[in-house]
């Protein structure tokens, strides 16, 4: 599964990032998202695979493309029999976020990316469009920090695991009212807080890499993004835990409806019988093979954003595989014209 797909999914995220980056700083987040979705889908449908979107742009009725349940890949097309032998191919599940951080793109802010995760059928938790309480930390703290512990306790554990003072730790938290107490607690404990407006996937994954100066992600973000983060962190051997948030009293914005009871019913209809369960990275991304790919739209901690030049563009992507145990940074020059001015890049 990995050999061919590993290379092709780089192009999938690259194409989405390039399309979206053309809308960087234009103040139009929906367009920045739509073009990324379209580009991702178009490239995905050229891959020799039988894929199914398990985390995508939403339910079929609201999302014309990359909706949950959509089948993608050459071998899912109606005329697939002409060039595919379905028996030869395993079915794969795909979680996508073609433009993670639409506001970041629209306002030209750092940290947006096109991102996806792939696994065997059933290998990714089909998270509902709810919120998720999350904690991410470096591999050295895996299984030691715990979402059920207080931030203060977790910072002590992190400081021991990483062999550094609490004042040398940086915790990323999304700037939201719901996090005011959390932010105060982290500061009171002596650690430093990096507030971000959006984009907690990049923040979670940054914990998996030494040298990013990010040692933890704490707080509540979206659940689908939690699964994508977990896929990367599982492959990296980092710590990730998530717990669904279904109570509108905790998160008052967008994603979840007004009624806690209705949300609980919805979870039950999805066979999520223990709504308070804490999931670790292995449960959220449980497949034997887990592949993660991201391409920077705007520059972030891990990847450069898309840089256009006359006749082409340059991108930086990251592909992580749990099977080959690699995290591969890929620097690509895309030549749109026959004679791009490649040498005038800098
Ligand atoms: C979250 C976060 C994402 O949007 O979904 C956030 O996980 C939206 O949160 O990374 P609010 O509803 O509280 O605004 C992102 O930041 C970007 O998609």
């Amino acid at each position: 599964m990995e050999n061919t797909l590993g290379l092709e999914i780089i192009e999938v995220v690259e194409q989405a990032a390039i399309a979206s980056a053309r809308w960087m700083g234009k103040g139009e987040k929906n367009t920045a998202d739509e073009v990324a979705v379209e580009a991702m889908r178009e490239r995905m449908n050229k891959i020799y695979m039988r894929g199914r979107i398990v985390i995508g742009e939403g339910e079929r009725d609201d999302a014309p493309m990359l909706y949950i349940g959509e089948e993608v890949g050459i071998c899912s097309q109606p005329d697939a029999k002409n060039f595919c032998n379905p028996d030869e191919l395993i079915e794969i599940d795909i979680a996508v976020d073609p433009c993670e951080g639409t506001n970041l793109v629209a306002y030209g802010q750092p940290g947006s990316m096109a991102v996806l995760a792939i696994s065997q059928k059933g290998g990714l938790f089909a998270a509902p469009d709810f919120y998720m309480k999350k904690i991410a930390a470096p591999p050295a703290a895996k299984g030691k920090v715990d979402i059920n512990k207080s931030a203060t306790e977790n910072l002590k554990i992190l400081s021991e695991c990483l062999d550094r003072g609490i004042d040398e730790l940086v915790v990323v938290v999304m700037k939201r009212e719901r996090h005011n107490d959390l932010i105060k607690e982290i500061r009171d404990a002596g650690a430093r807080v990096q507030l971000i407006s959006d984009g907690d996937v990049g923040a979670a994954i940054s914990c998996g890499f030494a040298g990013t100066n990010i040692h933890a992600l704490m707080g509540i973000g979206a659940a689908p993004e939690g699964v994508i983060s977990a896929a990367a962190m599982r492959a990296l051997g980092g710590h990730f835990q998530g717990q669904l948030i279904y109570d509108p009293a905790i998160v008052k914005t967008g994603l979840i409806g007004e009624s806690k009871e209705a949300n609980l019913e919805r979870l039950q209809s999805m066979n999520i019988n223990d709504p308070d369960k804490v999931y670790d990275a292995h449960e959220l991304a449980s497949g034997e093979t887990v592949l993660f790919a991201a391409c920077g739209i705007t520059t972030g901690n891990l990847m450069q954003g898309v840089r256009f030049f006359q006749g082409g563009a340059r991108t930086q992507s990251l592909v992580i595989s749990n099977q080959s145990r690699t995290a591969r940074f890929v620097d690509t020059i895309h030549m749109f014209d026959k004679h791009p001015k490649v040498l005038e890049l800098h």
Side-chain angles (χ1 to χ4, degrees), residues 97 99-104 131 134 174 176 178 196-201 220-223 225-226 251 253-255:
D97 194 351
C99 181
E100 154 65 356
T102 49
N103 284 318
L104 301 175
Y131 284 89
K134 309 173 187 179
M174 284 213 300
R176 296 290 188 278
R178 60 180 179 263
I196 56 167
S197 63
D198 275 298
D200 67 357
V201 175
I220 298 171
E225 279 85 339
V251 185
T253 49
L255 293 180

mmCIF file of all heavy atoms in Angstrom, residues 97 99-104 131 134 174 176 178 196-201 220-223 225-226 251 253-255, ligand 1:
data_model
loop_
_atom_site.group_PDB
_atom_site.id
_atom_site.type_symbol
_atom_site.label_atom_id
_atom_site.label_comp_id
_atom_site.label_asym_id
_atom_site.label_seq_id
_atom_site.Cartn_x
_atom_site.Cartn_y
_atom_site.Cartn_z
ATOM 1 N N ASP A 97 -8.403 17.151 4.964
ATOM 2 C CA ASP A 97 -8.681 18.544 5.321
ATOM 3 C C ASP A 97 -7.893 19.374 4.299
ATOM 4 O O ASP A 97 -6.738 19.712 4.510
ATOM 5 C CB ASP A 97 -8.230 18.822 6.769
ATOM 6 C CG ASP A 97 -8.817 20.133 7.289
ATOM 7 O OD1 ASP A 97 -9.412 20.874 6.478
ATOM 8 O OD2 ASP A 97 -8.672 20.413 8.490
ATOM 9 N N CYS A 99 -7.889 22.307 3.234
ATOM 10 C CA CYS A 99 -7.374 23.624 3.633
ATOM 11 C C CYS A 99 -7.545 23.743 5.147
ATOM 12 O O CYS A 99 -8.557 24.243 5.628
ATOM 13 C CB CYS A 99 -8.140 24.723 2.902
ATOM 14 S SG CYS A 99 -7.574 26.380 3.290
ATOM 15 N N GLU A 100 -6.576 23.224 5.874
ATOM 16 C CA GLU A 100 -6.629 23.267 7.344
ATOM 17 C C GLU A 100 -6.176 24.670 7.771
ATOM 18 O O GLU A 100 -5.018 25.042 7.606
ATOM 19 C CB GLU A 100 -5.735 22.154 7.911
ATOM 20 C CG GLU A 100 -5.160 22.358 9.308
ATOM 21 C CD GLU A 100 -6.188 22.404 10.447
ATOM 22 O OE1 GLU A 100 -7.402 22.360 10.192
ATOM 23 O OE2 GLU A 100 -5.756 22.542 11.594
ATOM 24 N N GLY A 101 -7.132 25.453 8.265
ATOM 25 C CA GLY A 101 -6.835 26.835 8.625
ATOM 26 C C GLY A 101 -7.262 27.801 7.532
ATOM 27 O O GLY A 101 -6.458 28.585 7.029
ATOM 28 N N THR A 102 -8.534 27.748 7.155
ATOM 29 C CA THR A 102 -8.998 28.614 6.057
ATOM 30 C C THR A 102 -8.805 30.097 6.399
ATOM 31 O O THR A 102 -8.429 30.884 5.539
ATOM 32 C CB THR A 102 -10.493 28.368 5.754
ATOM 33 O OG1 THR A 102 -11.209 28.413 6.979
ATOM 34 C CG2 THR A 102 -10.718 27.045 5.093
ATOM 35 N N ASN A 103 -9.033 30.455 7.672
ATOM 36 C CA ASN A 103 -8.824 31.864 8.066
ATOM 37 C C ASN A 103 -7.364 32.260 7.897
ATOM 38 O O ASN A 103 -7.057 33.385 7.513
ATOM 39 C CB ASN A 103 -9.208 32.075 9.534
ATOM 40 C CG ASN A 103 -10.706 32.119 9.708
ATOM 41 O OD1 ASN A 103 -11.402 32.735 8.908
ATOM 42 N ND2 ASN A 103 -11.198 31.445 10.729
ATOM 43 N N LEU A 104 -6.481 31.318 8.217
ATOM 44 C CA LEU A 104 -5.044 31.626 8.117
ATOM 45 C C LEU A 104 -4.699 31.958 6.670
ATOM 46 O O LEU A 104 -3.936 32.894 6.400
ATOM 47 C CB LEU A 104 -4.209 30.440 8.611
ATOM 48 C CG LEU A 104 -4.443 29.991 10.058
ATOM 49 C CD1 LEU A 104 -3.642 28.731 10.374
ATOM 50 C CD2 LEU A 104 -4.048 31.109 11.036
ATOM 51 N N TYR A 131 -16.537 18.663 18.659
ATOM 52 C CA TYR A 131 -15.237 19.126 19.162
ATOM 53 C C TYR A 131 -14.521 18.000 19.875
ATOM 54 O O TYR A 131 -15.100 16.951 20.151
ATOM 55 C CB TYR A 131 -15.432 20.313 20.106
ATOM 56 C CG TYR A 131 -15.726 21.588 19.343
ATOM 57 C CD1 TYR A 131 -17.024 21.938 19.024
ATOM 58 C CD2 TYR A 131 -14.686 22.402 18.909
ATOM 59 C CE1 TYR A 131 -17.293 23.088 18.305
ATOM 60 C CE2 TYR A 131 -14.945 23.550 18.185
ATOM 61 C CZ TYR A 131 -16.252 23.896 17.893
ATOM 62 O OH TYR A 131 -16.506 25.018 17.175
ATOM 63 N N LYS A 134 -8.016 17.833 23.419
ATOM 64 C CA LYS A 134 -6.813 17.170 22.902
ATOM 65 C C LYS A 134 -5.603 17.447 23.768
ATOM 66 O O LYS A 134 -5.492 18.532 24.360
ATOM 67 C CB LYS A 134 -6.477 17.691 21.481
ATOM 68 C CG LYS A 134 -7.624 17.665 20.508
ATOM 69 C CD LYS A 134 -7.298 18.355 19.175
ATOM 70 C CE LYS A 134 -8.552 18.436 18.306
ATOM 71 N NZ LYS A 134 -8.346 19.093 17.016
ATOM 72 N N MET A 174 -5.232 27.163 21.383
ATOM 73 C CA MET A 174 -6.005 28.034 20.489
ATOM 74 C C MET A 174 -6.624 29.176 21.290
ATOM 75 O O MET A 174 -7.138 28.963 22.391
ATOM 76 C CB MET A 174 -7.098 27.241 19.777
ATOM 77 C CG MET A 174 -6.538 26.387 18.661
ATOM 78 S SD MET A 174 -7.695 26.232 17.273
ATOM 79 C CE MET A 174 -9.061 25.499 18.073
ATOM 80 N N ARG A 176 -9.171 31.028 22.401
ATOM 81 C CA ARG A 176 -10.628 30.958 22.493
ATOM 82 C C ARG A 176 -11.008 31.227 23.947
ATOM 83 O O ARG A 176 -10.271 30.851 24.863
ATOM 84 C CB ARG A 176 -11.159 29.561 22.115
ATOM 85 C CG ARG A 176 -10.911 29.123 20.675
ATOM 86 C CD ARG A 176 -11.736 29.899 19.673
ATOM 87 N NE ARG A 176 -11.623 29.350 18.326
ATOM 88 C CZ ARG A 176 -10.619 29.605 17.477
ATOM 89 N NH1 ARG A 176 -9.631 30.410 17.840
ATOM 90 N NH2 ARG A 176 -10.611 29.070 16.266
ATOM 91 N N ARG A 178 -13.068 29.706 25.681
ATOM 92 C CA ARG A 178 -13.173 28.452 26.439
ATOM 93 C C ARG A 178 -11.850 28.024 27.068
ATOM 94 O O ARG A 178 -11.820 27.147 27.931
ATOM 95 C CB ARG A 178 -13.704 27.331 25.539
ATOM 96 C CG ARG A 178 -12.847 27.006 24.330
ATOM 97 C CD ARG A 178 -13.434 25.880 23.494
ATOM 98 N NE ARG A 178 -12.668 25.554 22.309
ATOM 99 C CZ ARG A 178 -12.918 26.006 21.087
ATOM 100 N NH1 ARG A 178 -13.934 26.821 20.897
ATOM 101 N NH2 ARG A 178 -12.171 25.637 20.058
ATOM 102 N N ILE A 196 -2.582 30.451 19.276
ATOM 103 C CA ILE A 196 -2.808 30.456 17.821
ATOM 104 C C ILE A 196 -4.290 30.733 17.559
ATOM 105 O O ILE A 196 -5.136 30.394 18.375
ATOM 106 C CB ILE A 196 -2.381 29.125 17.147
ATOM 107 C CG1 ILE A 196 -3.088 27.905 17.784
ATOM 108 C CG2 ILE A 196 -0.875 28.950 17.202
ATOM 109 C CD1 ILE A 196 -2.947 26.621 16.984
ATOM 110 N N SER A 197 -4.560 31.343 16.422
ATOM 111 C CA SER A 197 -5.959 31.653 16.119
ATOM 112 C C SER A 197 -6.658 30.448 15.509
ATOM 113 O O SER A 197 -7.857 30.272 15.649
ATOM 114 C CB SER A 197 -6.035 32.844 15.159
ATOM 115 O OG SER A 197 -5.420 32.502 13.940
ATOM 116 N N ASP A 198 -5.911 29.597 14.833
ATOM 117 C CA ASP A 198 -6.463 28.428 14.140
ATOM 118 C C ASP A 198 -5.338 27.433 13.866
ATOM 119 O O ASP A 198 -4.161 27.761 14.013
ATOM 120 C CB ASP A 198 -7.060 28.847 12.783
ATOM 121 C CG ASP A 198 -8.479 29.348 12.919
ATOM 122 O OD1 ASP A 198 -9.332 28.565 13.347
ATOM 123 O OD2 ASP A 198 -8.717 30.541 12.631
ATOM 124 N N GLY A 199 -5.746 26.252 13.407
ATOM 125 C CA GLY A 199 -4.740 25.308 12.893
ATOM 126 C C GLY A 199 -4.084 24.443 13.944
ATOM 127 O O GLY A 199 -2.859 24.438 14.079
ATOM 128 N N ASP A 200 -4.902 23.649 14.663
ATOM 129 C CA ASP A 200 -4.257 22.851 15.717
ATOM 130 C C ASP A 200 -3.655 21.539 15.213
ATOM 131 O O ASP A 200 -2.966 20.856 15.957
ATOM 132 C CB ASP A 200 -5.198 22.643 16.917
ATOM 133 C CG ASP A 200 -6.413 21.778 16.600
ATOM 134 O OD1 ASP A 200 -6.580 21.371 15.445
ATOM 135 O OD2 ASP A 200 -7.182 21.510 17.547
ATOM 136 N N VAL A 201 -3.859 21.196 13.939
ATOM 137 C CA VAL A 201 -3.188 20.002 13.406
ATOM 138 C C VAL A 201 -1.668 20.253 13.364
ATOM 139 O O VAL A 201 -0.875 19.448 13.855
ATOM 140 C CB VAL A 201 -3.704 19.643 11.996
ATOM 141 C CG1 VAL A 201 -2.913 18.489 11.414
ATOM 142 C CG2 VAL A 201 -5.183 19.272 12.049
ATOM 143 N N ILE A 220 -9.277 22.497 23.328
ATOM 144 C CA ILE A 220 -10.373 21.906 22.553
ATOM 145 C C ILE A 220 -10.395 22.457 21.131
ATOM 146 O O ILE A 220 -10.467 23.668 20.926
ATOM 147 C CB ILE A 220 -11.730 22.215 23.239
ATOM 148 C CG1 ILE A 220 -11.771 21.574 24.646
ATOM 149 C CG2 ILE A 220 -12.887 21.715 22.394
ATOM 150 C CD1 ILE A 220 -12.974 21.995 25.473
ATOM 151 N N GLY A 221 -10.301 21.544 20.152
ATOM 152 C CA GLY A 221 -10.419 21.908 18.737
ATOM 153 C C GLY A 221 -11.434 20.971 18.100
ATOM 154 O O GLY A 221 -12.198 20.300 18.797
ATOM 155 N N ALA A 222 -11.414 20.903 16.789
ATOM 156 C CA ALA A 222 -12.406 20.063 16.115
ATOM 157 C C ALA A 222 -11.996 18.592 16.156
ATOM 158 O O ALA A 222 -10.807 18.268 16.085
ATOM 159 C CB ALA A 222 -12.567 20.512 14.677
ATOM 160 N N ALA A 223 -13.011 17.700 16.232
ATOM 161 C CA ALA A 223 -12.736 16.264 16.318
ATOM 162 C C ALA A 223 -12.117 15.687 15.036
ATOM 163 O O ALA A 223 -11.142 14.927 15.116
ATOM 164 C CB ALA A 223 -14.011 15.510 16.689
ATOM 165 N N GLU A 225 -10.171 17.010 12.866
ATOM 166 C CA GLU A 225 -8.762 17.398 12.852
ATOM 167 C C GLU A 225 -7.965 16.591 13.880
ATOM 168 O O GLU A 225 -6.773 16.345 13.712
ATOM 169 C CB GLU A 225 -8.602 18.894 13.162
ATOM 170 C CG GLU A 225 -8.835 19.808 11.976
ATOM 171 C CD GLU A 225 -10.309 20.156 11.764
ATOM 172 O OE1 GLU A 225 -11.191 19.415 12.244
ATOM 173 O OE2 GLU A 225 -10.584 21.165 11.079
ATOM 174 N N GLY A 226 -8.660 16.192 14.956
ATOM 175 C CA GLY A 226 -8.012 15.376 15.987
ATOM 176 C C GLY A 226 -7.585 14.027 15.438
ATOM 177 O O GLY A 226 -6.498 13.528 15.742
ATOM 178 N N VAL A 251 -18.470 24.245 24.639
ATOM 179 C CA VAL A 251 -18.057 24.959 23.427
ATOM 180 C C VAL A 251 -19.303 25.547 22.788
ATOM 181 O O VAL A 251 -20.213 24.822 22.408
ATOM 182 C CB VAL A 251 -17.375 24.034 22.410
ATOM 183 C CG1 VAL A 251 -16.860 24.846 21.240
ATOM 184 C CG2 VAL A 251 -16.241 23.281 23.051
ATOM 185 N N THR A 253 -19.427 27.595 20.086
ATOM 186 C CA THR A 253 -19.375 27.984 18.669
ATOM 187 C C THR A 253 -19.826 26.869 17.733
ATOM 188 O O THR A 253 -20.044 25.742 18.159
ATOM 189 C CB THR A 253 -17.941 28.372 18.262
ATOM 190 O OG1 THR A 253 -17.080 27.345 18.717
ATOM 191 C CG2 THR A 253 -17.562 29.709 18.799
ATOM 192 N N GLY A 254 -19.863 27.255 16.481
ATOM 193 C CA GLY A 254 -20.146 26.473 15.287
ATOM 194 C C GLY A 254 -20.564 25.029 15.335
ATOM 195 O O GLY A 254 -21.738 24.717 15.202
ATOM 196 N N LEU A 255 -19.612 24.153 15.514
ATOM 197 C CA LEU A 255 -19.822 22.774 15.102
ATOM 198 C C LEU A 255 -20.968 22.029 15.756
ATOM 199 O O LEU A 255 -21.656 21.255 15.107
ATOM 200 C CB LEU A 255 -18.533 21.970 15.361
ATOM 201 C CG LEU A 255 -17.325 22.325 14.513
ATOM 202 C CD1 LEU A 255 -16.150 21.459 14.895
ATOM 203 C CD2 LEU A 255 -17.631 22.125 13.043
HETATM 204 C C1 LIG B 1 -10.788 24.014 15.023
HETATM 205 C C2 LIG B 1 -9.348 23.584 14.848
HETATM 206 C C3 LIG B 1 -8.878 23.818 13.439
HETATM 207 O O1 LIG B 1 -10.558 25.554 13.242
HETATM 208 O O2 LIG B 1 -11.601 23.264 14.176
HETATM 209 C C4 LIG B 1 -10.971 25.456 14.586
HETATM 210 O O3 LIG B 1 -9.249 22.216 15.178
HETATM 211 C C5 LIG B 1 -12.395 25.967 14.746
HETATM 212 O O4 LIG B 1 -12.617 26.156 16.088
HETATM 213 O O5 LIG B 1 -7.504 23.583 13.333
HETATM 214 P P1 LIG B 1 -13.739 27.161 16.572
HETATM 215 O O6 LIG B 1 -15.042 26.574 16.139
HETATM 216 O O7 LIG B 1 -13.572 27.242 18.042
HETATM 217 O O8 LIG B 1 -13.472 28.483 15.888
HETATM 218 C C6 LIG B 1 -9.207 25.236 13.021
HETATM 219 O O9 LIG B 1 -8.411 26.116 13.785
HETATM 220 C C7 LIG B 1 -8.907 25.424 11.539
HETATM 221 O O10 LIG B 1 -9.689 24.615 10.755
#
